[in-house]
Amino acid sequence: SDALAQKLDYGVKLSGYAFDFGLMLGLSDNVQFGASVSNLGPKIENFKLPSNLKFGIAIIPFGNFVVPVSGGYSIPEKTFNGHLGAEYTVWDIGLRAGYRVLKGASGWTAGASYKITGGKEERTEFGRGKESEATAIKIDYALTNEHEFGVVHRFTVNVLFN
C-alpha cells in the first residue's frame, strides 16, 4: 500500500492511501507471466489517483535469449499500451531492442545493461543449502524516442538483493 500526504500553500494538508497488487507465475521453465494493478484507492479531495493494470509474459526460447511481451491499461484514460522486445545476454552484458505502442509515442527502443555480481553465496532455503548470486549492481542504458522530447538517453543503476 502507499500512504500519501501533501501539504499545500495556506496550511492545507491532504492525505490518503492507495493499494498495489501484483503476481508473478512461472508457467514453465521457459515462460513467466506477471500482472499488477496499482493506485487502487478512494478519491482524495476530488482527485482520483490514476489506476493502472499491467501485464506481461516473458518467453525464453533458448539459453540467454528472452522475448518479453507486455501491455498496460490506464483506467482513467481508457487507453492501452504495448511493448514487444528481445534481449540477448552474453557474459554479463545484455543487449536489447524493442517496439512500443503508446498513445502518441510509438516507436523503436534499444538498450544495453551490465551486471556486476559479488560472486556466489550459500544460503539455506527450506532446510537445504542453495547457491545463488550475491548482491549485484546492474547498470542500464536505454535509448527511446519520446515524441515530446525527441531522442532520450536513460541511465539507471539498480542494486539487486537475493
Side-chain angles (χ1 to χ4, degrees), residues 97-109:
Y99 190 81
R100 64 183 183 168
V101 178
L102 300 171
K103 181 180 175 183
S106 299
W108 291 99
T109 64

Side-chain angles (χ1 to χ4, degrees), residues 3 14 23 43 46 49-50 52-53 55 58 87 90 96-97 105 116 125 135 137 141 147 152 156:
L14 302 175
L23 69 97
K43 284 185 178 179
N46 296 324
L49 291 173
N52 294 293
L53 172 65
F55 50 89
E87 180 177 45
V90 59
R96 63 185 176 277
I116 305 164
E125 187 173 290
T135 302
I137 296 174
Y141 168 75
H147 292 284
V152 174
T156 308

Side-chain angles (χ1 to χ4, degrees), residues 13-94:
K13 182 179 177 185
L14 302 175
S15 62
Y17 60 91
F19 294 95
D20 302 337
F21 299 98
L23 69 97
M24 208 162 133
L25 301 171
L27 302 178
S28 72
D29 288 343
N30 298 349
V31 180
Q32 293 182 351
F33 172 79
S36 69
V37 62
S38 59
N39 292 335
L40 296 177
K43 284 185 178 179
I44 302 170
E45 294 290 324
N46 296 324
F47 177 75
K48 179 76 174 140
L49 291 173
S51 299
N52 294 293
L53 172 65
K54 296 179 182 177
F55 50 89
I57 190 164
I59 301 165
I60 306 167
F62 57 87
N64 297 330
F65 186 68
V66 179
V67 179
V69 179
S70 64
Y73 179 71
S74 173
I75 295 169
E77 294 179 6
K78 296 180 177 38
T79 58
F80 284 96
N81 64 64
H83 307 263
L84 171 66
E87 180 177 45
Y88 183 74
T89 304
V90 59
W91 298 297
D92 285 323
I93 300 171

